[in-house]
Amino acid sequence: MNQHDLTLVGAIKRETGSQDVFVARHLIDGVWVDGASGETFTRHSPACGTQTAIAAKGNETDVEAAVQAARLAFDDGRWSQKSGRERAQLLSRVADLIDRDRERIALYETLESGKPISQAKAEIEGAADLWRHAGALARMIHGDAHNALGTDMLAMVLKEPVGVVSMITPWNFPFLIVSQKLPYALAAGCCAVVKPSELTSVTTVILGELLQEAGLPAGVVNIVLGYGQPVGSLMTTHPGVDMVSFTGSTATGKAIVAASSQTLKKVSLELGGKNPQAVFVDADLDQAADAIVFGIYFNAGECCNSGSRIIVHHSVAETLTAKIVALSKRVPFGDPLDPATKVGAIISAEHQQKIDSYVVAARAAGATVEIGGSAIDIDGLEGRFYGPTVVSGVTPDMPIAREEVFGPVLSVLTFDTLDEAIEIANDSAYGLSAGVWSDNIHTCLEFVRRAEAGTVWTNTWMDGFAELPFGGVKESGLGCELGRFGIEEYLETKTVQMRIGKTRQMWV
Ligand code: TXE
């Protein structure tokens, strides 16, 4: 064991007492249980290879039990019939507990995902904010009243919880993404079955512990650990489930739509992106370069909002690329447990290979690798790291410009006219986010209005607020999360028409 391993094991021991690794079980009907099969799977830190968790491996029996528990909890009203005020109080208690346990949650988030510890702490803080925001929304649920339909008619539109929601989450922001879904569903009065990614089970399990401590009734939230097959898949077909909320790859999102169509479930999808930023000649190039570097290296590029494509006016392309390359050299890549680190490890060996294959193909197709373009070694760590990479001379037809690389790899394309910039930006199957850099408000607004994206940033990148909805168009998803629309996803609409008085006959 090297020094890093010892530090890591020491950190885990401090957190878990005598255990070296986190033992994660399913949460079904308020009880922590081993899987029905008794099988388990393990997770090793992507930064140094040390084992961090052992988890119950879910199967059909576990999913069945979890869905039945959620179904019963929903149908008997133990949560759905609580007032908005009571729901809000519980969500706020959960937020306080997340704040209390921030260090511990962040440590496991870092150990399993490879993201920097300082970033993990900020994400856990942001997640607590989402629980509070959802709590506030729980008290705002209301419908509509119609008083102008005639003197003998009064009508109401009620908003009611959708029911049982399957939530399937990915590995890139495990705690933050479950916090973009679960508190909003709970605020609406729904019950849930949650499956975290098989690569990052632990912090969702910790969340389950906090929900229990906060006093959430048994069965309202159930957690099943395991893989897409069979656990995730069964969660999308089970007749006891009313809705699926998924964040992950577009390919899996499409499979979920197909699978859930047999029982016509409501589906909410937050999928991939190939997010462009157009940089015009009048942009502040220093500011743009700084934000572009943040946008591409944040979370090692393993981010749906990664700013992986820049489209820059040809006259400033060379200058901007030089600024980005210079900044890339200064970004602290390395040990995720070092508080100074800004970019950590790559999630898995297969993923590292996928990232590299895009760079290799771009180089072969004539693009220029300005910096990086290969795996890097970090002193004392056996894990997987990929160097900050900038590829120029990219053309819109190359896979590196069209597909989600999901790594610290920036593609630089060029344009001559505003129309061309917008055409290149929109020439994508994805439509998650986009950005424009210009000092001219008219240029910015024209780009904003013509960009095919769920979010458009002007002269900034990847700001985010609980108050603002987040979702994609085209193959980036269906529906949206956060903001006041975040809770709407988990509400159904019921129309009530009330005949007043007995003065008129209905038909004959
Ligand atoms: O995603 P998957 P993977 C993109 C990114 C990445 C690629 C593959 O480009 O390189 O997806 O990542 C569960 N039914 N994003 O393979 O498979 C799975 O267990 C139901 C973008 O990790 O989509 C996990 O819990 N569930 C993204 C979750 O789906 C299934 C974040 C996500 O895994 C399933 C992550 C099935 N048939 C990857 N198959 C973003 N939008 O931020 C798998 N799962």
Side-chain angles (χ1 to χ4, degrees):
M1 247 184 208
N2 64 30
Q3 188 50 43
H4 180 87
D5 289 342
L6 291 171
T7 314
L8 179 70
V9 171
I12 296 172
K13 278 196 165 146
R14 269 200 310 283
E15 293 303 324
T16 59
S18 60
Q19 289 170 353
D20 282 355
V21 297
F22 192 103
V23 179
R25 296 188 171 86
H26 309 310
L27 176 60
I28 298 176
D29 206 12
V31 182
W32 293 99
V33 292
D34 290 322
S37 70
E39 284 183 68
T40 56
F41 62 100
T42 56
R43 176 66 178 152
H44 293 75
S45 153
C48 66
T50 307
Q51 187 177 341
T52 59
I54 178 164
K57 189 172 171 190
N59 68 8
E60 192 171 353
T61 310
D62 302 315
V63 176
E64 187 60 39
V67 174
Q68 272 188 25
R71 189 74 258 165
L72 186 66
F74 183 77
D75 291 345
D76 73 14
R78 72 186 81 163
W79 178 250
S80 60
Q81 285 172 21
K82 289 221 184 299
S83 68
R85 179 165 169 269
E86 288 170 305
R87 288 181 211 155
Q89 281 171 340
L90 188 129
L91 296 180
S92 159
R93 271 203 298 280
V94 176
D96 292 344
L97 294 175
I98 293 171
D99 281 340
R100 183 197 69 190
D101 289 357
R102 184 168 74 125
E103 300 283 322
R104 175 170 182 251
I105 303 168
L107 176 67
Y108 278 110
E109 199 78 321
T110 287
L111 295 178
E112 287 207 305
S113 70
K115 70 175 69 214
I117 187 75
S118 47
Q119 183 192 319
K121 285 182 192 172
E123 284 172 19
I124 307 309
E125 197 179 337
D129 185 47
L130 297 182
W131 283 81
R132 289 196 181 90
H133 177 247
L137 291 176
R139 305 188 67 167
M140 314 269 285
I141 298 170
H142 63 90
D144 236 341
H146 289 259
N147 195 33
L149 302 171
T151 52
D152 60 349
M153 177 60 68
L154 183 64
M156 295 186 297
V157 180
L158 306 182
K159 299 304 272 188
E160 297 183 337
V162 166
V164 172
V165 185
S166 281
M167 295 182 182
I168 300 169
T169 57
W171 44 262
N172 54 346
F173 297 94
F175 199 84
L176 196 59
I177 288 176
V178 75
S179 298
Q180 290 183 189
K181 301 179 188 299
L182 190 53
Y184 295 89
L186 290 175
C190 293
C191 293
V193 177
V194 182
K195 190 196 90 64
S197 164
E198 57 276 17
L199 299 175
T200 51
S201 308
V202 172
T203 55
T204 301
V205 169
I206 295 177
L207 179 62
E209 292 169 357
L210 300 185
L211 291 172
Q212 285 188 312
E213 189 179 340
L216 189 73
V220 175
V221 172
N222 305 272
I223 299 170
V224 183
L225 308 174
Y227 292 78
Q229 296 294 352
V231 177
S233 183
L234 289 166
M235 286 168 63
T236 66
T237 50
H238 197 294
V241 170
D242 302 295
M243 172 176 173
V244 181
S245 173
F246 170 77
T247 299
S249 65
T250 293
T252 302
K254 288 178 181 176
I256 286 175
V257 170
S260 62
S261 69
Q262 288 308 310
T263 44
L264 277 188
K265 299 185 194 315
K266 188 169 181 181
V267 179
S268 161
L269 303 173
E270 201 277 280
L271 308 174
K274 189 70 200 175
N275 313 299
Q277 295 180 73
V279 185
F280 288 82
V281 278
D282 56 354
D284 180 327
L285 294 186
D286 289 315
Q287 243 184 47
D290 185 41
I292 287 165
V293 164
F294 162 64
I296 189 61
Y297 302 135
F298 175 69
N299 215 47
E302 295 168 334
C303 177
C304 54
N305 264 332
S306 167
S308 54
R309 273 195 299 160
I310 61 163
I311 306 163
V312 52
H313 191 271
H314 78 271
S315 65
V316 289
E318 209 172 305
T319 313
L320 181 66
T321 306
K323 286 178 189 292
I324 292 168
V325 169
L327 286 178
S328 299
K329 291 179 183 155
R330 288 176 31 202
V331 177
F333 272 65
D335 182 352
L337 286 173
D338 180 342
T341 296
K342 287 214 156 89
V343 186
I346 299 297
I347 192 78
S348 67
E350 304 78 58
H351 191 58
Q352 170 108 311
Q353 211 158 24
K354 175 183 150 186
I355 294 169
D356 193 51
S357 69
Y358 280 105
V359 180
V360 169
R363 203 186 249 131
T368 306
V369 177
E370 303 277 353
I371 182 174
S374 59
I376 48 173
D377 290 329
I378 301 292
D379 266 358
L381 296 181
E382 291 161 18
R384 296 168 295 270
F385 297 84
Y386 202 83
T389 300
V390 178
V391 185
S392 66
V394 172
T395 51
D397 56 309
M398 293 181 188
I400 202 170
R402 310 195 71 77
E403 295 167 22
E404 194 175 40
V405 175
F406 229 54
V409 177
L410 179 70
S411 292
V412 183
L413 296 90
T414 55
F415 72 88
D416 281 317
T417 64
L418 183 139
D419 280 344
E420 196 190 350
I422 292 171
E423 192 186 315
I424 296 172
N426 288 341
D427 179 20
S428 170
Y430 294 110
L432 191 60
S433 56
V436 54
W437 292 88
S438 167
D439 262 0
N440 184 330
I441 185 73
H442 303 290
T443 306
C444 289
L445 286 179
E446 177 141 13
F447 185 90
V448 162
R449 295 174 81 155
R450 290 171 63 187
E452 295 166 357
T455 297
V456 187
W457 287 288
T458 76
N459 295 315
T460 182
W461 188 257
M462 223 171 354
D463 289 315
F465 297 89
E467 290 83 351
L468 298 180
F470 172 59
V473 300
K474 297 172 23 180
E475 294 194 12
S476 287
L478 293 174
C480 68
E481 302 186 324
L482 308 180
R484 73 181 169 83
F485 302 98
I487 193 169
E488 291 288 330
E489 291 283 324
Y490 299 102
L491 292 169
E492 289 284 16
T493 302
K494 179 186 278 177
T495 297
V496 183
Q497 303 178 30
M498 296 180 291
R499 176 81 60 192
I500 301 165
K502 298 189 186 300
T503 51
R504 193 165 73 82
Q505 275 199 284
M506 187 75 189
W507 197 31
V508 287

